Amino acid sequence: MKLSSFLPRSISLTAQLLLTFAVLVAVTAILLGVFAYTDSIDKLIDAARHDARVTATTRDQLLTLLLESRQRRAAGFLERAESICGEPAGRRGYGWDEDCVQAMLTEFLTTERATGAALTFRDRTVGVAGGPVGETAGSDGWTVAAKGRLVDYIMAATRGDARLVLRFDSTDVVSLFSDSTGLATPVDEVILIDAGGRPLTPLQTTKVITLTSEADQCRRSDTRQSVMTSYAGDPVVPAFRRARALPGTCIVVLLSEAAARAPARSLRYDLAGQGLTFIVIGILLSLFAAQFVAAPVTRLAQTARALQAGDFGKPVPIAGPSEVRDLGRAVAGMAKDIAELVTREKAARREAEAANRSKDQFLAMLSHELRTPLTAIRGWAHTLKTGRMDPERVQRAAAAIERGAEAQRRLIEDLLDVTGIAAGRIRMERVPTRLAAVVEAAVDAVGPRADEKDVHIGVDMDDARLTVHADPQRIQQVIWNLLWNAVKFTPSGGRVTVRVRNVGGLVEVTVTDNGIGIDAEFLPHVFGWFRRADRDARTANQGLGLGLALVRQLVELHGGSVRAESGGRNAGATFVVTLPLHEEALTADPDRSGQGGSADSLASIRVLVVDDDPGSREAVRVLLEQAGADVETAASADEARRCLRSAAADVLISDIAMDEENGYALMQSLRTDGFTQPAIALTAYARREDAEKAQAAGFDVHLPKPVDPEVLISVLVALCKRESSGSLPPIL
């Protein structure tokens, strides 16, 4: 809520500015004063805590010095007494001159201001001076003997079998703790207490009080409290320190919180006076500023109305205070900014048009890549329909059609992979994978293309057992793309080499060619999406620029890296894929694609093919009949049910996308009716989610279109073998 909203609109601009500035000055002064006062309180309390800790440490050091000096003097007395009053005593080993001991003990008692002293040798009293000394622990050190308000300190010192016990009153200790050195006010206290909280030094009260809470905090070494209530009920800043020289005792320092805060009182009055002065000066300055600002604002308002009407060329008056001049400059720059906005809008429109053209170019490239193999397929198909071809030309036609279909399949799979990676939906099944089998499969797949171009592919492998934890199909896709790329850009008679080696716990797969190379300026962008080099520098078969980008993404998803190297144009290119090495060697080839099968293995197998597309249905029928199978076809789900009622089928192959009833519904209904034979989903739905959906519907295997004939035959063989072995082939 703005302050101006509370002001009547009839008040002049000068009055509004004055009131606004005055309120802001007053609020600022109050906030600064409160902050300064609060901060000073915190700092004073922190300083008091520090002083309390320093005082406790100082008293501990003084007490330790007092008691340790007496301990050293007692040890020195025993040494002197032994040398002066001790004498050999036959078999007993040692004896004492008791008169000598008594004289020395009496003199030492007077010197040390002790109230009692006793010297024993092997539990036999040799000399006593002063009053009784009481009991003490067996080792050297100090103990406290307290009875009522009387507190004595007993010290024991030993030398061999001799033991000296001294008893002191609390005079020296009390004077030490009554010393006001380091204390700010008379209400501050330094107290010595025992483990039960009983005061060993006088308190500032005549009551008999036990400081139980202070003893507990000292025992726990609790320093979290900055302020606590003392035994007298006053707020104090405490400090606790265990006395080193007196086991079980604690030094308690209580500094008055009121005394610690005392300097803040005068500060509070100072802040109040300074704040009031600041407010008065601020109001006077606000009055001057309001009058100074109001005059040119009117002129700026007139100019603003002109700009609102679209007159951006009207000069803007720049006069008055700096803020008003800044406002004038801002208004003057408004027209320029709007002009720049218009310019940028035009530029943005041009960029959008360029993006549209890029999209059109991509669609044109995609159309080109789809139409090119279609041209060959349609041309050879038309030639085959004439029937006037010799067997050699028939083989050439079949090979051309197969290459075109494979190119389209690869293009579609690349586009699906791009979509999956962009959406984060790409899935991988990682297993221990031997690179030898994957490289061999990729070389076999690219081999026909290399033979056509007369490009030799060589494989150099350090160890055929090198294993990575990866998805075999994805790694094969990586190597296939690199090999295909190398063959595509290597001229006839060239050479492509695949090297696999172990480099310090990593596996490096290097694909090297002696082709046309990569320009230095394009090399950093070679793995970018839809990035392609200059058409003039490359071959006419450019592609969409997806292969190498997919290589990088798939390798990085496996935790590896890929890099490209080239000496420039016509210097060849090298692509290096690095993957983590899997330590455990495989006991079997992880390649799952080869199920094995031959044409005659389908003999006597009856297959029902369901597909509403006549061309696809007929192609599968011819393929399986050539492999020896007995094939029946159906164009719909209802027709498939009629065929199954009239004659049983060993294997069912069904499309998914059919008009009246799709393959999922057909399979679910058949499984419900008791159909137990194996079933294959042969569909253009090629995503992993589609495979899972097909499995959920009851299909045993999911194969994407277009299917490799050898794969289809191998899967059929595996399904038939399952009937006898009971094992389930993998979902593809």
Side-chain angles (χ1 to χ4, degrees):
M1 183 71 69
K2 295 182 179 179
L3 180 61
S4 58
S5 61
F6 295 99
L7 301 176
R9 295 186 179 181
S10 59
I11 295 180
S12 65
L13 177 60
T14 301
Q16 292 188 25
L17 290 174
L18 175 60
L19 290 175
T20 302
F21 293 160
V23 171
L24 290 176
V25 168
V27 171
T28 302
I30 293 172
L31 291 178
L32 289 176
V34 171
F35 174 78
Y37 179 74
T38 305
D39 185 62
S40 66
I41 292 294
D42 294 339
K43 290 181 178 178
L44 288 172
I45 295 298
D46 290 341
R49 292 183 64 189
H50 177 265
D51 292 344
R53 288 193 292 267
V54 170
T55 300
T57 302
T58 303
R59 293 301 186 276
D60 182 39
Q61 292 172 348
L62 292 174
L63 181 62
T64 302
L65 181 63
L66 171 65
L67 300 182
E68 288 183 350
S69 63
R70 286 180 170 174
Q71 188 80 29
R72 288 193 298 271
R73 290 196 295 273
F77 171 81
L78 283 176
E79 184 178 359
R80 291 194 305 274
E82 183 178 316
S83 62
I84 295 174
C85 302
E87 57 184 11
R91 291 182 179 180
R92 290 182 301 173
Y94 204 79
W96 292 83
D97 185 341
E98 294 186 0
D99 293 336
C100 175
V101 170
Q102 187 67 36
M104 290 187 67
L105 196 61
T106 301
E107 181 183 358
F108 186 70
L109 181 71
T110 304
T111 303
E112 290 296 312
R113 300 193 306 277
T115 61
L119 177 63
T120 61
F121 183 78
R122 296 177 182 173
D123 297 330
R124 180 175 63 86
T125 302
V126 178
V128 175
V133 296
E135 299 295 330
T136 185
S139 60
D140 294 356
W142 289 84
T143 57
V144 179
K147 185 176 182 181
R149 294 195 176 188
L150 297 178
V151 179
D152 286 344
Y153 299 88
I154 303 174
M155 181 201 72
T158 59
R159 178 178 173 82
D161 293 332
R163 177 178 175 82
L164 175 64
V165 179
L166 297 174
R167 189 182 188 99
F168 297 88
D169 60 21
S170 61
T171 302
D172 291 341
V173 175
V174 168
S175 63
L176 181 65
F177 279 80
S178 299
D179 185 7
S180 60
T181 302
L183 303 179
T185 66
V187 296
D188 297 336
E189 283 189 271
V190 183
I191 310 167
L192 182 65
I193 62 175
D194 63 11
R198 179 172 50 186
L200 304 178
T201 58
L203 302 176
Q204 294 181 2
T205 180
T206 58
K207 297 180 181 179
V208 179
I209 296 175
T210 301
L211 306 182
T212 306
S213 175
E214 287 78 356
D216 291 341
Q217 294 187 59
C218 186
R219 186 164 47 252
R220 297 194 307 266
S221 299
D222 190 356
T223 60
R224 292 172 295 176
Q225 283 186 304
S226 59
V227 178
M228 62 174 287
T229 302
S230 70
Y231 65 87
D234 300 322
V236 293
V237 178
F240 308 96
R241 183 178 180 88
R242 297 177 184 176
R244 291 177 295 169
L246 285 175
T249 63
C250 180
I251 299 172
V252 179
V253 179
L254 302 176
L255 301 185
S256 171
E257 185 204 19
R261 290 174 175 262
R265 294 193 186 96
S266 60
L267 177 62
R268 180 173 55 191
Y269 296 122
D270 292 342
L271 290 175
Q274 293 174 3
L276 183 59
T277 303
F278 179 77
I279 291 173
V280 172
I281 295 175
I283 291 175
L284 294 176
L285 293 177
S286 299
L287 177 60
F288 172 76
Q291 292 177 345
F292 190 74
V293 170
V297 167
T298 303
R299 295 192 295 270
L300 283 176
Q302 295 173 352
T303 304
R305 284 193 290 270
L307 294 176
Q308 185 181 14
D311 185 6
F312 299 106
K314 183 178 179 61
V316 179
I318 300 176
S322 60
E323 293 83 357
V324 179
R325 289 199 299 270
D326 291 341
L327 178 60
R329 295 188 187 97
V331 175
M334 188 181 301
K336 181 180 178 181
D337 292 342
I338 294 176
E340 291 177 354
L341 285 174
V342 172
T343 303
R344 285 198 295 269
E345 188 273 335
K346 292 180 179 178
R349 186 184 297 115
R350 288 195 295 270
E351 290 177 1
E353 293 172 353
N356 247 352
R357 288 194 297 271
S358 298
K359 180 191 68 176
D360 294 341
Q361 184 181 9
F362 170 73
L363 293 176
M365 290 187 297
L366 178 61
S367 174
H368 173 270
E369 294 299 319
L370 290 172
R371 288 176 181 272
T372 298
L374 279 176
T375 301
I377 291 173
R378 291 190 63 182
W380 283 111
H382 177 75
T383 304
L384 286 172
K385 285 171 61 178
T386 62
R388 297 189 298 272
M389 296 180 65
D390 54 46
E392 181 180 354
R393 289 177 64 83
V394 170
Q395 290 297 324
R396 287 177 57 195
I401 292 173
E402 186 176 14
R403 284 196 304 272
E406 176 65 16
Q408 286 196 328
R409 185 184 70 83
R410 287 285 182 180
L411 179 60
I412 293 171
E413 287 184 353
D414 284 350
L415 290 172
L416 289 175
D417 286 340
V418 170
T419 304
I421 290 174
R425 293 196 305 267
I426 191 168
R427 299 187 182 182
M428 296 185 295
E429 295 182 2
R430 298 189 184 185
V431 295
T433 304
R434 283 187 182 173
L435 285 176
V438 175
V439 170
E440 181 180 355
V443 171
D444 290 343
V446 182
R449 176 59 175 164
D451 293 340
E452 285 183 5
K453 291 194 64 176
D454 190 22
V455 174
H456 176 72
I457 300 178
V459 178
D460 179 9
M461 187 167 299
D462 287 354
D463 187 350
R465 295 172 299 175
L466 290 177
T467 305
V468 295
H469 192 70
D471 187 320
Q473 294 182 355
R474 293 300 183 182
I475 296 300
Q476 181 177 336
Q477 183 180 0
V478 167
I479 299 174
W480 182 92
N481 271 303
L482 293 177
L483 285 173
W484 185 269
N485 191 72
V487 170
K488 181 166 60 173
F489 297 116
T490 299
S492 178
R495 179 179 181 83
V496 176
T497 303
V498 184
R499 294 185 179 89
V500 182
R501 56 178 181 163
N502 184 350
V503 182
L506 299 173
V507 178
E508 271 193 4
V509 181
T510 305
V511 178
T512 305
D513 65 71
N514 58 352
I516 63 176
I518 306 173
D519 293 336
E521 57 270 17
F522 183 73
L523 193 60
H525 311 290
V526 72
F527 293 107
W529 293 110
F530 310 112
R531 298 304 296 266
R532 306 180 308 156
D534 185 2
R535 289 183 179 271
D536 295 335
R538 310 292 282 179
T539 66
N541 186 12
Q542 285 290 308
L544 295 178
L546 299 177
L548 293 180
L550 285 173
V551 166
R552 183 192 64 181
Q553 294 291 333
L554 292 175
V555 169
E556 290 178 353
L557 287 174
H558 283 84
S561 62
V562 60
R563 68 179 188 273
E565 302 170 354
S566 177
R569 186 169 297 190
N570 299 322
T574 299
F575 291 86
V576 182
V577 174
T578 304
L579 295 169
L581 180 64
H582 188 66
E583 297 297 336
E584 300 178 1
L586 293 176
T587 58
D589 192 342
D591 183 11
R592 300 178 299 170
S593 63
Q595 300 291 337
S598 59
D600 59 357
S601 61
L602 296 183
S604 74
I605 295 177
R606 188 171 185 276
V607 181
L608 174 60
V609 179
V610 184
D611 198 324
D612 61 349
D613 181 67
S616 299
R617 188 171 64 246
E618 183 65 15
V620 174
R621 184 188 66 78
V622 172
L623 170 65
L624 297 182
E625 285 180 346
Q626 289 179 349
D630 181 10
V631 183
E632 186 174 357
T633 61
S636 66
D638 289 338
E639 186 177 349
R641 292 188 185 91
R642 289 194 296 271
C643 292
L644 290 174
R645 284 194 292 268
S646 61
D650 297 317
V651 181
L652 171 68
I653 300 176
S654 175
D655 187 22
I656 296 299
M658 295 186 291
D659 290 337
E660 297 179 0
E661 184 179 354
N662 62 34
Y664 298 137
L666 170 63
M667 194 69 253
Q668 289 171 349
S669 65
L670 291 178
R671 293 302 188 198
T672 303
D673 294 339
F675 181 78
T676 60
Q677 280 73 17
I680 299 173
L682 183 59
T683 172
Y685 295 149
R687 300 175 304 171
R688 184 66 189 179
E689 301 94 292
D690 300 322
E692 294 172 352
K693 191 173 181 180
Q695 186 180 18
F699 287 100
D700 297 286
V701 178
H702 173 273
L703 293 177
K705 293 180 180 180
V707 65
D708 187 334
E710 294 181 1
V711 172
L712 178 58
I713 294 173
S714 298
V715 170
L716 281 170
V717 172
L719 286 174
C720 293
K721 288 182 179 179
R722 187 194 66 171
E723 293 299 305
S724 57
S725 65
S727 62
L728 183 65
I731 295 294
L732 300 179

